[in-house]
Amino acid sequence: MPDERLDGVIVATALPYAPDERAPAGLRVDLDAYAEHCRWLIDSGCRGVGPNGSLGEYSSLEPDERRAVARTAVEAVGDDGAVVVGVHGVGAHQARMWAERAAEDGADGVLCLPPTMYRADRAALLHHFEQVASVGLPVMVYNNPIDTKVDLAPGLVAEIAAIDNVVAVKEFSGDVRRVLELRERVPDLAVVAGADDVVLESLLMGATGWFAGFPNVFPAASVRLYELARAGRLDEARALYEPLVGAFRWDSRTEFVQAIKHGMDMVGRYGGPCRPPRSPITGQRLADLEADMRRAMDHLDAHPVAA
C-alpha cells in the first residue's frame, strides 16, 4: 500500500453465499466466489476492498466466518491493493480483538464504527477508538449516525483524530458541508465519502476517498467517476454521475445490501441472497430498484468505461 491514508476507491464488499442446510440460515459463505469478487474489483481499478462491513453482513456471521472472510480478502488482493477490515463491535474489547486479528491476518487498515447497539458518550467513544488504534494498524473512523445513533460531528472527529494511528474518517451523515469543516479542523485526516449518492459533491469539496457500495456493481465506471471528480473535470463527472445516482441512492436506504446484491445479479455478477434479518426486495420497491438500475446500465452500455 503506497501510504497509510486509506483513501481512493475502496469497496465495501458484498458477501456471496451458497445454499447449505447445515450453515446458519441455510446459507454458507462462499469464500471462493468472494475471493474472485475481490480480485475482480482490484482488476477493475479499485484501490482496495473492505471486508466485514455492514454491506458484508458482518453482524450475521459466526466469528470463524468473519475471520475467514477477512483472510480471504487479504489473500485475494495480495500486494495489488489495500484491505481495510471492518472491526465493528458492541464494546471496545470486541472491536480491539477484531483489530488484533486483522493485524495478524495481514490487513492494511481497519474501519471502525462507534460501539454498536449502544449510544456511547464522548469518553466511551474516545476509549473505543483508542483501544482499536492501539493495535497499530491505520484506522478509518466510521461516522454512521443513522445506524449507531451516535453522530461523530467534526469537533468530535478532531478529538478522535488526535489518537495515534487514526488516519481517516468515513463520513456517512449525508451532510456534505462537513467535508470542508473536517478538512479545516484536521488537515492531515483523509476525509472519505461514505454515501454513494453524495460522492461527487463530497469529492468536489475535497474528500480524497470513497468507501463505496455500488462499485460492487459498476467498479470501472465508479473509478472513472472518482478520477474525473478528483481532477476537477466537472462536466464529464456530472455526465457520468447523473445517470448512476438513482441507483446510488439505494446505498443510503434500509435495503442497501439487498439492492446492491440485486444490482450485481442484474449486471451478470453474483449477488445472491442475504442472511436474516434482511429479506428480499419485492413488489413496487423491486420495480423501482430495477428501473434505477436499468437507467444506469443503459447509460453504461451506450458509454462504456474500460477497466
Side-chain angles (χ1 to χ4, degrees), residues 153-167:
L156 182 52
V157 171
E159 290 189 71
I160 296 168
I163 300 169
D164 286 346
N165 298 318
V166 172
V167 301

Side-chain angles (χ1 to χ4, degrees), residues 48-176:
V49 299
N52 293 334
S54 301
L55 183 52
E57 300 176 69
Y58 78 92
S59 58
S60 297
L61 300 179
E62 299 294 327
D64 59 332
E65 293 175 318
R66 185 168 169 177
R67 189 167 193 185
V69 168
R71 286 173 164 171
T72 298
V74 170
E75 183 176 350
V77 169
D79 295 330
D80 297 325
V83 177
V84 182
V85 177
V87 296
H88 320 304
V90 175
H93 61 296
Q94 293 153 314
R96 175 174 175 159
M97 176 197 70
W98 287 115
E100 289 169 344
R101 292 180 179 179
E104 291 168 4
D105 295 336
D108 298 294
V110 297
L111 175 71
C112 188
L113 283 166
T116 59
M117 301 176 65
Y118 176 70
R119 190 173 296 181
D121 61 17
R122 174 184 168 279
L125 288 167
L126 292 173
H127 175 70
H128 188 81
F129 290 111
E130 284 168 354
Q131 287 297 298
V132 171
S134 70
V135 173
L137 286 176
V139 176
M140 181 186 296
V141 173
Y142 184 4
N143 182 37
N144 186 342
I146 298 167
D147 288 343
T148 65
K149 310 304 180 188
V150 174
D151 186 12
L152 303 180
L156 182 52
V157 171
E159 290 189 71
I160 296 168
I163 300 169
D164 286 346
N165 298 318
V166 172
V167 301
V169 57
K170 176 181 176 180
E171 171 51 50
F172 193 79
S173 70
D175 183 356
V176 296

Side-chain angles (χ1 to χ4, degrees), residues 228-305:
L228 290 170
R230 290 287 292 152
R233 295 162 63 178
L234 179 56
D235 289 344
E236 294 170 86
R238 284 186 60 184
L240 178 55
Y241 183 54
E242 290 178 8
L244 304 184
V245 76
F248 284 5
R249 290 188 185 112
W250 288 87
D251 180 58
S252 297
R253 293 174 180 161
T254 302
E255 315 96 328
F256 73 102
V257 180
Q258 302 96 306
I260 289 170
K261 283 189 163 186
H262 190 74
M264 292 167 66
D265 290 332
M266 288 183 69
V267 299
R269 300 292 298 170
Y270 177 71
C274 299
R275 278 186 179 167
R278 296 176 177 89
S279 56
I281 302 173
T282 59
Q284 186 59 49
R285 198 73 168 156
L286 179 60
D288 292 343
L289 167 62
E290 291 186 341
D292 290 333
M293 277 294 304
R294 287 194 191 97
R295 182 183 181 209
M297 293 166 65
D298 289 347
H299 177 79
L300 294 177
D301 285 344
H303 304 87
V305 177

